[in-house]
Amino acid sequence: MVTGHETGTTVVLPTVRIAPLDPPPELGQLRETRPVTRLQYPDGHRGWLVTNYQVARAILADRRFAVHPIRPAVGNPAKAIENTGSDATAQAGNLLVSDPPVHTYLRRAVAGQFTIRRVAERSEFVSETVATLLDQMLTGGEPADLVESFSLPLPSLVLCELLGVPPSDRRRFEEPTDIRLNPNSTIEELAAARINFLDYVRGVIEHKRASPADDVLSDLARNETLTGNELAGMAMSLFIAGHETTAIMLASSVYALLTTPGRWDALRGDPSLVNSAVEELLRFLTVVPTIFATRTATADVDIADVHIAASESVTISLCAANRDPDRFPDPDRLDLERDAAGHLAFGQGIHTCIGQHLARLELQLGLRGLLERLPNLRLAVPAAKVPMHAPERNAYGVLRLPVEWS
Ligand code: HEM
């Protein structure tokens, strides 16, 4: 049994990728040799890194692991507070950094808006938005950047509709999100972005209180059990979590399909594969490579021959778990017909992604729209020239995607 006092090899979170869409190879080696290993955090303390699927799933579902205190596994520890919102006001209302019982009532306040049934009611709006964006992209001519023309505006506009803000407000949440997710943002940039964002969100909530409509923020504004800070924090976290992850996933999916021989043609030939393809792409790409919120053991836990002591930090590598060959045979193969159900791309347990049905709907309808309207879609530059996000970013994938289609 390896314990917290063991002084064997300690790793820092591997982030260097050799192939742009494959996890850092070091993670695969760790999964084989030390699936739960000592991890050195940027602030100098030591915890654990999990790369095995079954252990990852078990810890995420285990209520003995809390999300407090918040300790980012990569980046400058001085930025931890701004980056994760771990100060009192920013933390209020943020599901990701709340533990039960607070998490329970916060999640209950919005969960009803994100059920499969409620999300299905948005299908028409999502389809129309897909069609409008593709019309505009075709009119603009080739080459085009698929991220700017399609994969980013789609989830942003859907989020505007869902939360009940005008489409022109897109930039108000896209910019601060980019700053927050970017590991190279300075503390000053993070602080300024947060203040502006909070002002914006408070203004929107005031407006919703004065003239409520049929949208998520009006619904929240009517909720008298939430404090003002909780309302603002919840709204902020929905704005932040709700668009960029989906945008990166959509663009990276197209990149993966176009650069893996035969995959785009297979989907074009049989669009009924789109739904299973989306699940496999979620597994294969795992655009949130590491859980957003480091877990902390609230009791001693023995798991996978390791003794995790109470108060020790645990980081789960979702991208390593989703490439575990014991769970997904031939895991590095993008197999559009694979049953990828059970993947951990949306996390697991009480913090599992609340927006996952919405993300799936956007990914499915977005890919269908592209296959129908742009069947000859191809990269406008060599695959190696397509820029990717910084690998240590909280959401990783294609940054820009120059494409042609005629
Ligand atoms: C492909 C797109 C998406 C991916 C890959 C993704 C991934 C994730 C992951 C991995 C978590 C859990 C993190 C952890 O346990 O530390 C999470 C949580 C969350 N996601 Fe998503 N997400 C996506 C889209 C969305 C959308 C569209 C929304 C909202 C409209 C959303 C809102 C949230 C929220 C609020 C949480 C926190 C839930 C809680 O703590 O109870 N996400 N997401």
Side-chain angles (χ1 to χ4, degrees):
M1 171 91 51
V2 181
T3 72
H5 304 295
E6 176 263 351
T7 52
T9 322
T10 300
V11 299
V12 291
L13 185 67
T15 56
V16 179
R17 294 178 184 245
I18 307 294
L21 299 184
D22 287 336
E26 225 180 317
L27 288 172
Q29 290 150 18
L30 285 171
R31 193 182 48 231
E32 294 218 336
T33 53
R34 285 177 290 141
V36 184
T37 193
R38 286 312 245 157
L39 178 69
Q40 168 100 43
Y41 286 78
D43 64 2
H45 87 284
R46 293 201 315 160
W48 298 96
L49 173 67
V50 176
T51 45
N52 168 287
Y53 174 89
Q54 295 299 351
V55 182
R57 202 181 164 92
I59 289 182
L60 290 174
D62 189 329
R63 299 290 281 271
R64 291 172 296 175
F65 290 90
V67 291
H68 271 128
I70 298 137
R71 288 160 157 170
V74 279
N76 177 350
K79 289 186 200 150
I81 289 184
E82 277 302 334
N83 228 346
T84 57
S86 61
D87 66 292
T89 31
Q91 197 177 302
N94 185 345
L95 286 168
L96 263 177
V97 296
S98 307
D99 288 309
V102 174
H103 177 269
T104 316
Y105 77 73
L106 289 176
R107 185 141 177 153
R108 213 169 270 154
V110 278
Q113 299 279 0
F114 290 94
T115 59
I116 293 189
R117 189 180 59 80
R118 288 304 297 271
V119 165
E121 290 167 9
R122 313 258 170 205
S123 300
E124 205 180 323
F125 179 81
V126 178
S127 293
E128 283 167 11
T129 309
V130 166
T132 309
L133 289 170
L134 291 179
D135 284 344
Q136 286 166 358
M137 195 170 111
L138 287 164
T139 309
E142 33 187 352
D145 174 10
L146 195 82
V147 174
E148 195 191 322
S149 319
F150 187 64
S151 73
L152 180 59
L154 176 63
S156 286
L157 293 171
V158 171
L159 201 60
C160 290
E161 163 80 6
L162 182 83
L163 298 185
V165 299
S168 54
D169 277 13
R170 262 181 69 188
R171 304 282 171 219
R172 300 298 305 263
F173 56 87
E174 285 177 1
E175 278 169 19
T177 303
D178 193 42
I179 293 171
R180 261 178 106 119
L181 291 176
N182 187 347
N184 298 320
S185 300
T186 63
I187 296 175
E188 293 73 25
E189 283 167 339
L190 284 162
R194 195 169 76 75
I195 290 166
N196 287 340
F197 195 18
L198 207 55
D199 278 353
Y200 164 68
V201 164
R202 290 205 166 114
V204 172
I205 289 169
E206 250 170 60
H207 175 70
K208 295 289 168 194
R209 282 215 169 104
S211 27
D214 181 18
D215 55 62
V216 173
L217 292 186
S218 297
D219 206 42
L220 280 174
R222 272 190 286 263
N223 187 325
E224 288 176 0
T225 58
L226 300 182
T227 65
N229 277 344
E230 284 175 340
L231 261 178
M234 172 86 81
M236 268 172 86
S237 55
L238 289 175
F239 273 124
I240 290 175
H243 70 287
E244 225 211 347
T245 39
T246 313
I248 293 176
M249 182 58 208
L250 187 49
S252 305
S253 295
V254 172
Y255 176 84
L257 292 168
L258 293 178
T259 56
T260 314
R263 302 305 191 273
W264 181 261
D265 289 342
L267 274 193
R268 203 170 54 163
D270 184 1
S272 73
L273 285 179
V274 164
N275 290 11
S276 71
V278 163
E279 287 317 302
E280 169 67 348
L281 285 159
L282 282 161
R283 176 197 75 83
F284 184 79
L285 296 167
T286 314
V287 297
V288 177
T290 316
I291 47 164
F292 288 123
T294 296
R295 304 307 201 258
T296 300
T298 59
D300 288 0
V301 178
D302 292 332
I303 192 161
D305 287 335
V306 161
H307 178 78
I308 299 175
S311 87
E312 285 194 309
S313 310
V314 181
T315 286
I316 311 278
S317 172
L318 297 175
C319 64
N322 275 342
R323 297 284 186 108
D324 186 337
D326 288 342
R327 177 61 183 78
F328 300 105
D330 200 1
D332 298 330
R333 183 182 145 79
L334 176 64
D335 175 357
L336 303 183
E337 295 185 46
R338 180 199 298 273
D339 178 6
H343 65 72
L344 299 178
F346 291 119
Q348 174 70 26
I350 63 168
H351 293 282
T352 186
C353 179
I354 205 168
Q356 59 184 279
H357 304 309
L358 184 63
R360 284 193 173 98
L361 182 72
E362 293 175 34
L363 294 168
Q364 290 165 3
L365 295 179
L367 279 182
R368 274 181 216 281
L370 287 168
L371 288 160
E372 272 165 32
R373 301 280 303 275
L374 311 172
N376 297 324
L377 191 70
R378 62 192 177 277
L379 298 185
V381 296
K385 292 260 187 295
V386 171
M388 300 285 153
H389 284 286
E392 63 276 17
R393 209 163 175 273
N394 288 339
Y396 166 86
V398 164
L399 180 62
R400 284 187 299 280
L401 194 61
V403 290
E404 297 168 334
W405 51 82
S406 58

